[in-house]
Amino acid sequence: MLDVNKISFLASDTEVAREARAALIDRYGDIPQDEAEVIVALGGDGFMLQTLHGTQHLDTPVYGMNCGTVGFLMNEYHEPKLRERLSEAVEEDINPLRMKAIREDGTVHEALAINEVSLLRAGSQAAKLRIFVDGRERLEELVCDGALVSTPAGSTAYNYSAHGPILPIGSEVLALTAMSAFRPRRWRGALLPKAAKVRFDVLQPKKRPVMADADGRSAGNVVSVEITSEPNVTHRILFDPGHGLEERLIREQFA
């Protein structure tokens, strides 16, 4: 059981989130992150991702309260009975993706992504990508605006906007989705095992430059990007009963 008296409150830079944090601290107190049993993040989904990345070394669960817009990863904001909500919260554990991007100059950029790793054209012409899965070439040439690999937790974000599938939590699969695929025409992407190793090679990188992005951590002028699940990192997210990720993913498909 969590000690719900040991709470650390974090807020995004918005006025709404800062005011909410002040009100909650006045009501429940506040302790340093490294002494907390639970971290409460106040903001939107972007701030939730930032909080999860910034606190992953603590192995402390994070409970988000929505002070933003969509708030897919957040719970509703209410000041009363917070300790009771925390004690009854349901935990969802997710593993991020690890991106290893190699630039034209040979430098390597690594980053973790809770939602997705995406490759995007960085010039006026469409990108040309070659796709390997577990070392085997699966698609010789994909002409597109970009492509991404998404976790189940991120499947309702950029992946969904690109017409990718929504993945149930615990499905142990990843979604590989193209953005505006020109050739193969209307290619619908692929579902891959969670343990799969995906590699994108950028064709004609000087003529058709590509950038890679992992939850907002970007690398430009990439020539190759390798994506794998990272089982050694686990993010612990708390949800009110009946409003966890699994329920939200199912509900989203009937919206």
Side-chain angles (χ1 to χ4, degrees), residues 3-49:
D3 185 343
V4 295
N5 293 305
K6 295 183 177 181
I7 308 172
S8 181
F9 292 97
L10 304 178
S12 69
D13 291 332
T14 67
E15 183 177 354
V16 171
R18 292 198 305 269
E19 290 178 352
R21 180 175 185 268
L24 289 165
I25 288 176
D26 185 60
R27 191 164 187 161
Y28 299 104
D30 184 50
I31 66 171
Q33 293 176 38
D34 57 359
E35 298 176 19
E37 285 286 318
V38 61
I39 294 170
V40 173
L42 304 163
D45 285 333
F47 183 70
M48 184 62 163
L49 292 177

Side-chain angles (χ1 to χ4, degrees), residues 173-188:
V173 296
L174 305 173
L176 195 168
T177 302
M179 284 87 86
S180 301
F182 175 70
R183 190 175 292 117
R185 184 76 71 179
R186 291 184 292 273
W187 184 62
R188 302 184 68 177

Side-chain angles (χ1 to χ4, degrees), residues 27-224:
R27 191 164 187 161
Y28 299 104
D30 184 50
I31 66 171
Q33 293 176 38
D34 57 359
E35 298 176 19
E37 285 286 318
V38 61
I39 294 170
V40 173
L42 304 163
D45 285 333
F47 183 70
M48 184 62 163
L49 292 177
Q50 178 182 326
T51 301
L52 291 170
H53 283 297
T55 62
Q56 68 184 34
H57 62 290
L58 297 176
D59 190 38
T60 305
V62 178
Y63 179 90
M65 286 206 287
N66 190 23
C67 296
T69 51
V70 178
F72 183 78
L73 295 173
M74 316 299 276
N75 300 284
E76 291 185 5
Y77 178 82
H78 298 295
E79 286 182 30
K81 298 183 178 180
L82 177 59
R83 291 195 178 98
E84 290 87 339
R85 291 173 71 185
L86 292 175
S87 65
E88 296 171 358
V90 177
E91 181 174 319
E92 302 275 8
D93 294 343
I94 60 174
N95 302 116
L97 300 172
R98 179 174 294 279
M99 175 185 80
K100 180 180 179 182
I102 301 175
R103 298 187 179 99
E104 278 191 281
D105 62 6
T107 57
V108 177
H109 178 83
E110 292 196 48
L112 296 177
I114 297 166
N115 273 359
E116 77 280 316
V117 173
S118 56
L119 283 77
L120 302 165
R121 73 175 192 179
S124 59
Q125 293 186 305
K128 287 189 175 183
L129 307 174
R130 183 169 293 152
I131 302 175
F132 295 82
V133 178
D134 293 330
R136 181 176 177 181
E137 183 183 296
R138 291 294 184 176
L139 196 56
E140 182 178 2
E141 183 179 274
L142 171 64
V143 183
C144 57
D145 281 349
L148 61 83
V149 175
S150 169
T151 67
S155 64
T156 59
Y158 197 1
N159 172 71
Y160 192 37
S161 297
H163 306 290
I166 293 178
L167 306 176
I169 292 295
S171 58
E172 298 292 311
V173 296
L174 305 173
L176 195 168
T177 302
M179 284 87 86
S180 301
F182 175 70
R183 190 175 292 117
R185 184 76 71 179
R186 291 184 292 273
W187 184 62
R188 302 184 68 177
L191 293 177
L192 303 173
K194 182 180 178 180
K197 179 184 293 185
V198 181
R199 193 182 87 223
F200 294 97
D201 286 350
V202 179
L203 308 179
Q204 303 176 10
K206 292 187 181 298
K207 181 181 180 182
R208 303 169 185 270
V210 170
M211 63 170 286
D213 183 275
D215 282 358
R217 295 163 174 81
S218 301
N221 297 315
V222 298
V223 295
S224 182

